């Protein structure tokens, strides 16, 4: 039985290990299928997207994913050209978009926006980023990348560095990692530590250590997950300037890492990973972006086909 048929994807907290592994298996199948067979999976289906915040990879990967499984996409990526400028509510925009599409992808600035959209939409809703809360399909993509590149997730030591306060990808990844036996170390400036209101819930899923110095434990990590300092989420630019450039992963730091350690980043990158790192065997963030297309194609295929594919 396909547990994802016509289901919303709102929070990674709704996933258990077996449901994640189901998506990973579907992703592997997607990657192995002949393109002509792959295009039959969502043939005749339409993906609708609403992006109230800028996006490059997430929107384009959903678009590319839907095309790869034979569907088409329509939507709004620039709200300045939509009826929101006339005062249309999120509820009405979602209702109308759900009329035109079979599945809806939403990114919004407000916490709780995707869960609200799921309540008013006639079609399944996928959360592509809701305020500072979560980005569940990014976490699925991240976990799949780790499994593909390291051949496993259980037993790994994972370092997560950067903006842990405002980075919604971090929260989704931590909730997802809670389904596995991993050793997690969080590294950030004091002002960007993981939010205290989330610590209790995350610690119900997994234990983690915290520090401000990346060099203390860099040689222990199997996976280094780097995030940018999110300037747009700081209420005060002066506070941003205090922490800008706190961590830069360069060749000097890579020399201290395990030889087979991998470096991930949800992108966009600003200055937290030097460009000369891109050519190293450790850099896997562009592969990570490619895996995003396939994991999202698998998710769409599962949501839109009662018996899977």
């Amino acid at each position: 039985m396909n547990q994802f048929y016509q289901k919303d994807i709102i929070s990674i907290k709704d996933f258990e290990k077996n449901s994640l592994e189901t998506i990973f298996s579907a992703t592997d199948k997607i990657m192995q299928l002949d393109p002509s067979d792959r295009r039959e999976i969502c043939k005749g289906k339409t993906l609708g997207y609403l992006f109230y915040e800028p996006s490059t990879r997430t929107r384009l990967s959903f678009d590319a994913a839907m095309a790869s499984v034979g569907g088409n996409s329509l939507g709004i990526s620039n709200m300045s050209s939509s009826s929101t400028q006339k005062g249309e509510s999120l509820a009405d925009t979602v209702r109308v978009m759900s009329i035109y599409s079979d599945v809806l992808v939403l990114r919004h600035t407000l916490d709780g926006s995707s869960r609200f959209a799921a309540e008013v939409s006639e079609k399944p809703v996928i959360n592509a980023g809701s305020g500072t809360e979560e980005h569940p399909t990014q976490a699925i993509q991240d976990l799949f990348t780790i499994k593909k590149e390291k051949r496993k997730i259980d037993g790994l030591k994972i370092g997560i560095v950067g903006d842990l306060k405002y980075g919604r990808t971090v929260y989704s990844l931590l909730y997802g990692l809670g389904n596995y036996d991993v050793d997690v170390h969080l590294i950030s400036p004091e002002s960007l530590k993981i939010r205290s209101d989330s610590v209790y819930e995350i610690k119900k899923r997994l234990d983690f250590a915290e520090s401000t110095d990346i060099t203390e434990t860099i040689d222990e990590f199997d996976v280094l997950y780097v995030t940018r300092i999110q300037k747009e989420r700081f209420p005060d630019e002066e506070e941003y300037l205090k922490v800008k450039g706190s961590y830069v992963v360069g060749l000097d730091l890579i020399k201290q890492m395990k030889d087979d350690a991998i470096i991930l980043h949800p992108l966009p990158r600003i200055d937290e990973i030097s460009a000369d790192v891109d050519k190293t065997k450790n850099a896997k963030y562009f592969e990570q972006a490619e895996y995003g297309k396939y994991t999202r194609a698998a998710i769409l295929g599962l949501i839109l086909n009662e018996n899977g594919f």
Side-chain angles (χ1 to χ4, degrees), residues 1-15:
M1 184 177 177
N2 176 16
Q3 62 183 297
F4 294 103
Y5 179 60
Q6 294 296 302
K7 297 296 184 183
D8 303 310
I9 306 290
I10 304 300
S11 171
I12 199 72
K13 289 181 279 187
D14 299 329
F15 288 75

Side-chain angles (χ1 to χ4, degrees), residues 236-251:
D236 183 351
E237 187 172 357
E238 287 297 318
E239 291 304 309
Y240 164 73
L241 293 174
K242 290 178 183 177
V243 294
K244 178 185 177 183
S246 294
Y247 306 102
V248 178
V249 178
L251 295 179

Side-chain angles (χ1 to χ4, degrees), residues 64-232:
M66 194 57 168
S68 74
V69 290
N72 60 82
S73 305
L74 57 84
I76 305 167
S77 59
N78 182 359
M79 285 299 156
S80 63
S81 61
S82 75
S83 289
T84 59
Q85 299 302 300
K86 302 175 184 176
E88 185 175 46
S89 67
L90 174 62
D92 284 1
T93 304
V94 167
R95 288 190 182 100
V96 171
M97 183 59 74
S98 70
I99 293 170
Y100 300 148
S101 56
D102 298 290
V103 58
L104 182 62
V105 176
L106 174 69
R107 170 171 289 190
H108 202 281
T109 56
L110 296 179
D111 292 2
S113 52
S114 289
R115 200 167 293 281
F116 171 73
E119 292 175 0
V120 300
S121 175
E122 295 296 322
K123 305 293 170 54
V125 171
I126 299 174
N127 176 7
S130 52
T132 59
E133 290 179 314
E134 281 197 66
H135 192 346
T137 63
Q138 178 70 48
I140 293 168
Q141 157 188 351
D142 296 341
L143 292 169
F144 182 78
T145 302
I146 293 170
K147 186 167 185 179
K148 292 296 282 187
E149 296 296 332
K150 298 299 294 181
R151 308 294 183 189
K152 64 177 183 177
I153 300 176
D154 286 316
L156 296 179
K157 185 155 188 174
I158 300 171
I160 304 177
V161 59
D163 185 346
L164 309 184
K165 181 177 182 179
Y166 297 114
R168 58 191 168 205
T169 61
V170 170
Y171 292 89
S172 287
L173 179 57
L174 287 171
Y175 292 133
L177 286 171
N179 291 291
Y180 297 88
D181 178 19
V182 290
D183 186 353
V184 175
H185 199 103
L186 305 181
I187 305 153
S188 69
E190 283 291 339
S191 63
L192 293 180
K193 290 176 65 174
I194 193 165
R195 296 193 299 268
S196 58
D197 60 322
S198 300
V199 168
Y200 175 74
E201 189 168 9
I202 292 169
K203 286 216 167 183
K204 287 192 295 184
R205 294 169 173 262
L206 84 167
D207 289 323
F208 58 83
E210 294 181 273
S211 69
T212 58
D213 186 353
I214 192 172
T215 62
E216 289 180 349
T217 47
I218 190 67
D219 59 336
E220 301 175 12
F221 299 141
D222 301 295
V223 179
L224 181 65
Y225 190 92
V226 185
T227 66
R228 71 184 173 91
I229 308 294
Q230 300 197 40
K231 179 180 179 180
E232 69 275 16

Side-chain angles (χ1 to χ4, degrees), residues 254-269:
I254 287 182
K255 291 176 182 177
Q256 302 174 50
M257 297 178 70
K258 288 183 178 179
D259 186 60
D260 62 347
I262 63 172
I263 301 170
L264 303 182
H265 193 304
L267 303 176
R269 166 180 58 178

